[in-house]
């Protein structure tokens, strides 16, 4: 009986030459967070531009980026982008379901509870960033502070705390956008132009 040489299949290597999905996820998170934060500081109303962005860019685009991170074998990117993508879809649904008559509008305690579980998740991701670059650590620290301020604003009804949350959200979103655009710029130019 002849034996089949099985060693040749072990020498096959797959080369992944697909695009880096992280900039898409970072830009989607950053820009959507900044748009909502402009509402929280009182610059714009919570209307269709923010809800559409939350559903389509912050939501669907981030979910796509996360699925592509799974293909890249990046568990952190996969879990982060898919989870925050569904956060934005959930946020849009919370705003739209009462308008459509499918659910009652949440009260402050219900919104604070919703944000609290996301805050716990953000803390876990922040801990992961201790093994990553500093700007990502600062970005996730800003996200944790943002969520804490929004919870406090919901529970107290204090407009100043909401404004602080909005300002913190502008920082968190701006940092995520900076990292995402920085990665694209560096790739296009083939050198490290933007420190990320």
């Amino acid at each position: 009986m002849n034996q089949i040489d099985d060693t040749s299949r072990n020498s096959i290597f797959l080369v992944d030459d697909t695009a880096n999905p992280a900039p898409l996820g970072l830009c989607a998170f950053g820009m959507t967070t900044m748009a909502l934060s402009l509402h929280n500081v009182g610059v714009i109303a919570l209307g269709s531009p923010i809800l559409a962005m939350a559903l389509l860019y912050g939501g669907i685009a981030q979910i796509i980026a996360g699925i592509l991170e799974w293909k890249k074998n990046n568990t952190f990117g996969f879990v982060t982008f898919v989870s925050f993508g569904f956060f934005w879809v959930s946020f849009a649904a919370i705003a739209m379901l009462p308008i459509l008559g499918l659910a009652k509008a949440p009260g402050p305690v219900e919104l604070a509870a919703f944000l609290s579980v996301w805050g716990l998740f953000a803390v876990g991701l922040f801990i992961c960033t201790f093994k990553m670059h500093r700007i990502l650590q600062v970005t996730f620290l800003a996200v944790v502070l943002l969520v804490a301020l929004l919870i406090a604003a919901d529970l107290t009804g204090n407009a100043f705390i909401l404004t602080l949350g909005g300002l913190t959200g502008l920082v968190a979103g701006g940092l995520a956008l900076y990292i995402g655009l920085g990665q694209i710029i560096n790739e296009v130019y083939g050198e490290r132009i933007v420190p990320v």
Side-chain angles (χ1 to χ4, degrees):
M1 185 177 219
N2 292 342
Q3 291 205 337
I4 299 173
D5 181 11
D6 199 42
T7 58
S8 62
R9 73 181 174 112
N10 292 329
S11 63
I12 296 173
F13 295 96
L14 296 178
V15 177
D16 182 1
D17 60 355
T18 58
N20 178 7
L24 172 62
L26 288 160
C27 291
F29 176 82
M31 290 171 60
T32 309
T33 300
M34 291 173 73
L36 180 61
S37 296
L38 288 172
H39 162 70
N40 289 336
V41 297
V43 174
I44 58 175
L46 179 61
S48 60
I50 293 175
L51 294 177
M53 193 169 200
L55 184 62
L56 301 173
Y57 194 46
I60 294 173
Q62 256 193 112
I63 292 166
I64 291 168
I67 291 168
L68 294 174
E69 287 285 7
W70 166 79
K71 185 179 183 312
K72 297 277 192 183
N73 198 28
N74 180 354
T75 303
F76 179 83
F78 168 65
V79 172
T80 301
F81 291 138
V82 171
S83 295
F84 277 117
F86 278 112
F87 165 82
W88 285 114
V89 171
S90 300
F91 172 81
I94 287 169
M96 292 186 301
L97 288 174
I99 295 168
L100 297 172
L102 299 174
K104 70 179 187 101
V109 173
E110 293 166 309
L111 285 175
F114 171 78
L115 290 171
S116 294
V117 294
W118 283 102
L120 291 173
F121 178 68
V123 168
L125 294 177
F126 174 57
I127 292 168
C128 293
T129 65
F130 294 166
K131 299 286 277 182
M132 299 174 186
H133 51 86
R134 286 269 184 246
I135 193 158
L136 198 59
Q137 290 175 25
V138 174
T139 302
F140 272 90
L141 176 60
V143 170
V144 170
L145 293 175
L146 163 63
V147 174
L149 287 166
L150 293 179
I151 292 167
D154 279 331
L155 292 177
T156 65
N158 186 307
F160 178 71
I161 296 174
L162 181 61
T163 300
L164 282 179
L167 293 172
T168 305
L170 287 171
V171 170
L175 287 170
L177 183 61
Y178 168 82
I179 297 168
L181 289 176
Q183 289 181 2
I184 296 167
I185 291 167
N186 291 346
E187 182 180 313
V188 167
Y189 281 87
E191 60 182 296
R192 189 172 185 261
I193 293 174
V194 179
V196 290

